[in-house]
Amino acid sequence: MQAPEFAELAGRVEGVARALLITIAHLERQQAIDGPALCAAFRRSLAAAPAGLATAGRTLAELAGALDDSRHARTATP
């Protein structure tokens, strides 16, 4: 994979991740989902990820952390 192709792929993955985070945060604000439980499920899947999918597991952990940070920021702001 050449640098431009990698940059394109990385940008697409980042866009999908951001869309997921925005969607989850919106659903949390609407009380349609339990955000902390979802984050816990993301983290559990990290432990269950096969060795070949370690990067995917780390990504889920990063997403859970970003969601936790976002939730804390929303609750800290009046």
Side-chain angles (χ1 to χ4, degrees):
M1 183 179 293
Q2 301 297 320
E5 294 167 321
F6 178 78
E8 175 73 17
L9 179 60
R12 288 177 180 266
V13 170
E14 180 68 21
V16 170
R18 287 178 185 255
L20 177 65
L21 291 172
I22 291 166
T23 301
I24 292 170
H26 175 76
L27 291 171
E28 274 190 90
R29 284 190 302 271
Q30 300 298 317
Q31 298 179 334
I33 61 171
D34 181 347
L38 181 63
C39 289
F42 281 4
R43 290 185 175 99
R44 279 192 306 276
S45 70
L46 168 64
L53 296 177
T55 301
R58 284 192 309 273
T59 301
L60 284 170
E62 291 170 3
L63 289 170
L67 287 167
D68 288 340
D69 292 346
S70 176
R71 187 178 319 103
H72 293 297
R74 284 193 311 271
T75 58
T77 306

